[in-house]
Amino acid sequence: RNSNDEISDIQEKLVRVIGTNLPKLFHILPNLRELFNTGAAPSNLIQQQQVDSGLNFKGLCFAMQGFMRVISSKSSPVMFFLDDLQWADKLSLGLIHAVLSDIKKMSTVFFVGTYRSNEVQQDHVICRFTDSLESFGVGITQMRLDGMVEEDVNALISDSLCVFPRICRPLSSLVYHRTRGNPLFTIEFLETL
């Protein structure tokens, strides 16, 4: 929990770093407006959102980079998680790219993005996105998560039902073959029983 002095410091830095682009952030991060309920931002900056509804992509990228520089540091990094990136559009990935490849490198952001590899071909925008990040020197670690093997499904069911693994093996085999070991599908299938 941040003290009032820390919040005030963040407000002042955001106004100083982002300036007239602050309303652009309010547009994509509506909860950020709550930070300024105390009146730290000049009212003309906050009200400008009503007048300037057009979001210029470069201005938005600049505002997000400034935002990340203000709110993140080595002592207070930001974890950014997005799921199902196979459905992300080029502009959304471009905004993420701008934040992660920020030339000033003043922000400390840990980004985790997930996508379903079975829905992504080599020419998909995600592949170009990761290639481009690597070319900008952004460190990337890719992990492939496969489904559970039948023994893992049996251990999960055994633990969940508090029975010996040998007793629930027939159920585990059925569940495994229905879900192909997908952890989410396995849990959802079990919940329907």
Side-chain angles (χ1 to χ4, degrees):
R1 199 103 169 111
N2 293 340
S3 71
N4 287 340
D5 289 340
E6 290 172 322
I7 291 173
S8 180
D9 185 48
I10 291 170
Q11 290 169 331
E12 290 171 15
K13 285 180 183 175
L14 285 172
V15 170
R16 186 177 66 248
V17 171
I18 300 170
T20 58
N21 286 313
L22 197 55
K24 292 177 181 173
L25 283 183
F26 293 155
H27 192 73
I28 63 168
L29 302 171
N31 290 344
L32 183 61
R33 183 182 293 273
E34 296 298 315
L35 184 67
F36 291 95
N37 277 345
T38 60
S43 59
N44 62 331
L45 285 181
I46 294 175
Q47 291 170 356
Q48 182 181 346
Q49 182 182 18
Q50 309 303 327
V51 178
D52 182 18
S53 61
L55 291 177
N56 160 317
F57 182 71
K58 287 185 180 183
L60 187 58
C61 289
F62 172 79
M64 272 304 282
Q65 287 172 334
F67 176 71
M68 288 301 190
R69 288 179 201 145
V70 169
I71 66 163
S72 69
S73 66
K74 288 189 188 264
S75 64
S76 182
V78 170
M79 164 108 176
F80 190 32
F81 177 82
L82 289 176
D83 194 15
D84 290 327
L85 286 175
Q86 73 274 5
W87 295 324
D89 64 5
K90 188 176 179 179
L91 284 177
S92 299
L93 291 175
L95 183 59
I96 297 166
H97 189 288
V99 169
L100 297 177
S101 62
D102 186 1
I103 294 173
K104 294 190 178 184
K105 304 284 186 207
M106 295 173 74
S107 63
T108 308
V109 178
F110 179 68
F111 176 72
V112 176
T114 67
Y115 62 90
R116 298 177 189 170
S117 59
N118 61 331
E119 295 184 25
V120 172
Q121 307 301 321
Q122 275 192 299
D123 63 339
H124 194 279
V125 68
I126 291 286
C127 298
R128 292 190 299 274
F129 171 72
T130 56
D131 290 345
S132 180
L133 284 174
E134 285 181 323
S135 73
F136 273 79
V138 176
I140 293 179
T141 301
Q142 291 190 8
M143 298 171 53
R144 180 177 174 85
L145 302 178
D146 293 320
M148 299 182 290
V149 296
E150 193 166 347
E151 287 302 313
D152 294 337
V153 172
N154 190 49
L156 174 71
I157 292 173
S158 172
D159 288 345
S160 298
L161 299 177
C162 298
V163 297
F164 291 113
R166 63 182 159 71
I167 295 173
C168 64
R169 194 166 311 280
L171 175 60
S172 299
S173 179
L174 171 74
V175 171
Y176 175 77
H177 287 93
R178 288 274 177 105
T179 64
R180 297 183 190 152
N182 180 308
L184 175 65
F185 296 162
T186 299
I187 291 169
E188 287 183 350
F189 182 78
L190 289 172
E191 287 177 350
T192 64
L193 298 178

